[in-house]
Structures are given as C-alpha cells and as structure tokens.
Amino acid sequence: MSVKPQIQIFKSQASMITGFINLWQDVAREALIHTGRFTIAVSGGKTPIPYFKGLADKIPATIWQNTHLFLVDERHVPFTDPDSNYGMIQKNLLDRLEMSESNLHPIPYEKTAELSAKAYEAGLKQFFGNASLPEFDFIMLGLGTDGHTASLFPKNPALKEMMKWTASAEQTDVPHRRITLTYPVLNAAKNVVFVVEGEEKSQRIKDIVSDRKKAYPATQIQTTTGKLIWMLDDQAASLLSK
Ligand code: 6PG
C-alpha cells in the first residue's frame, strides 16, 4: 500500500525555492521536537544548486546544528572531482554554513564502487542503530529525462536490490560507476520530495506522475507511510492535466 503523492506546481523557480525552504524548515522543526535531530539525504545533479544556496541563506544555525546530512547517491570519484555530488554540495551548501564534521555523512570514496556502497551501508547502520530500515526525515530527489532518480537507472540491476540499503551501479551512458540508496530506504522516508524543473522533463513527469508508467525507476518511489511530494515548475508540469 503506498501513499498518494502530493503535486505542487510553481510559476517561478524563486517561488519553488521558497516553497522548498519552507517545507524543509517545517519538517526540520517537527523532527527536532520529536527526536532532537533532523536526518536528510540529498541528491546531486544541477537542479538542487540554487535550492542549496537558498537553504544556506535562510535555514537558521539552530537547525543546522542538529541536522545530519547524507547523500542519496554519488559518482565513484574523489570529492575533489568536478563530478562529485559531495563536492557540489560542499561548494553550494556546506561551505556557506557551520556544520560539525560528525553531522556530515558523505558516501566514502573507497577503491571500488562496491566497497564504497558497503562502507556507506555500514555507516548508515551504525547511525540508525541497526534499525530494520533507516527512516530519514527528508529525502530530496531529482529526475533524469530517462526517468531515473538517485542512481537508479532504467534496466539497471540496482533496481532489484530490496534487501541492502545501498547498491553500486554501472551505467554505460554515464561516465562513472555510481553508489546509490536503494528503493527500500528511499520508500521508508517520512518525506520524499522530488524537485523537477524544465520542459525537457515534462513528458517523463506525465508518464510517471499521472500515467504511473512502471517502465521508469522514479515510478517505484512509493512511500510506505511517509509523504511523497512532487515540486514542479510550470514547464515540467506542462503536460499534466489542469
Ligand atoms: C545525480 C543525481 C541524479 C539527478 C538527476 C537529475 O547524481 O546526478 O542524484 O539522480 O537527480 O540526474 O539531474 P539534474 O538535476 O541535473 O537534471
């Protein structure tokens, strides 16, 4: 049984960033009241960049001090590599605020992507205390034009991983091996928020959000009990029936 997604459509990127920051803050405050910490996992790619800058400017230090930041996925490259998601997050978010190292949980760069995935899963299990599944307060996802999300690409074996919390993925049409959170972890989160912009993604949004076509990895993001929110700009939502 999965939860019905909420669709939020915004006329401008500025209003979408404001909406995203407000949602982030609301979820953070709720988490801090109930557990004293706010656990998040964020995606890479280009869309999140202005959102990270907005978060750094607007979210108060009192929230960051109790935030634990994880990654949804990573390319198997050093953090200094221009393609590193963590490198992008450092540049656009972390370098703009104070967060203790112990609150930052990048995907470890090991000899192989498989070893990175194993090390990341060990770190997650240590942090979440060997729970049956980690229950993130907030997971930020993007969407590729091929319908991938995280590093869960069409036809990739990682789509079938239903036991491990992480997987490594080889994808011929992307330059690096990937490490990713798996469906069980993504679907266990309290809030899963897709942030999708642009006309080039409008057909995929129609396929996934309204037609629920199973051919696309993002269609299988179906929270078990948490909220699933699609934050779309006008262009990305242009094929959804009004
Ligand atoms: C990555 C991301 C990936 C991203 C989509 C959308 O590592 O690239 O985690 O899943 O969210 O590819 O990327 P854009 O936001 O750049 O369109």
Side-chain angles (χ1 to χ4, degrees), residues 213-228:
K213 284 184 182 164
K214 295 200 180 322
Y216 301 107
T219 311
Q220 301 313 320
I221 298 292
Q222 297 172 16
T223 45
T224 37
T225 55
K227 278 195 197 134
L228 174 56

Side-chain angles (χ1 to χ4, degrees), residues 63-202:
I63 288 183
W64 290 116
Q65 281 153 10
N66 298 293
T67 295
H68 283 270
L69 180 136
F70 294 79
L71 268 72
V72 164
D73 66 336
E74 185 56 285
R75 296 81 184 276
H76 186 238
V77 293
F79 300 153
T80 50
D81 186 293
D83 286 345
S84 163
N85 282 341
Y86 191 59
M88 181 275 284
I89 294 164
Q90 280 177 311
K91 180 164 173 266
N92 295 291
L93 177 63
L94 304 179
D95 289 352
R96 298 160 174 261
L97 40 89
E98 296 288 315
M99 267 181 89
S100 133
E101 282 302 311
S102 58
N103 287 41
L104 300 173
H105 309 272
I107 296 176
Y109 178 60
E110 305 290 348
K111 210 162 157 26
T112 66
E114 289 73 13
L115 289 173
S116 288
K118 262 175 101 69
Y120 192 40
E121 182 181 60
L124 285 163
K125 292 200 169 193
Q126 192 189 8
F127 181 84
F128 285 98
N130 268 325
S132 55
L133 273 173
E135 205 178 9
F136 282 98
D137 294 306
F138 194 107
I139 291 186
M140 178 187 194
L141 293 178
L143 180 72
T145 50
D146 62 355
H148 85 261
T149 188
S151 284
L152 296 167
F153 290 89
K155 302 192 180 62
N156 192 288
L159 300 176
K160 295 193 175 66
E161 182 52 65
M162 294 298 164
M163 295 304 290
K164 293 191 184 118
W165 295 7
T166 62
S168 60
E170 170 119 38
Q171 190 64 21
T172 48
D173 54 353
V174 293
H176 308 293
R177 283 188 69 81
R178 300 286 191 102
I179 301 98
T180 186
L181 293 178
T182 55
Y183 281 129
V185 173
L186 298 172
N187 287 335
K190 291 180 185 155
N191 294 275
V192 176
V193 184
F194 277 95
V195 177
V196 185
E197 297 176 351
E199 186 75 36
E200 73 280 7
K201 301 193 181 167
S202 57

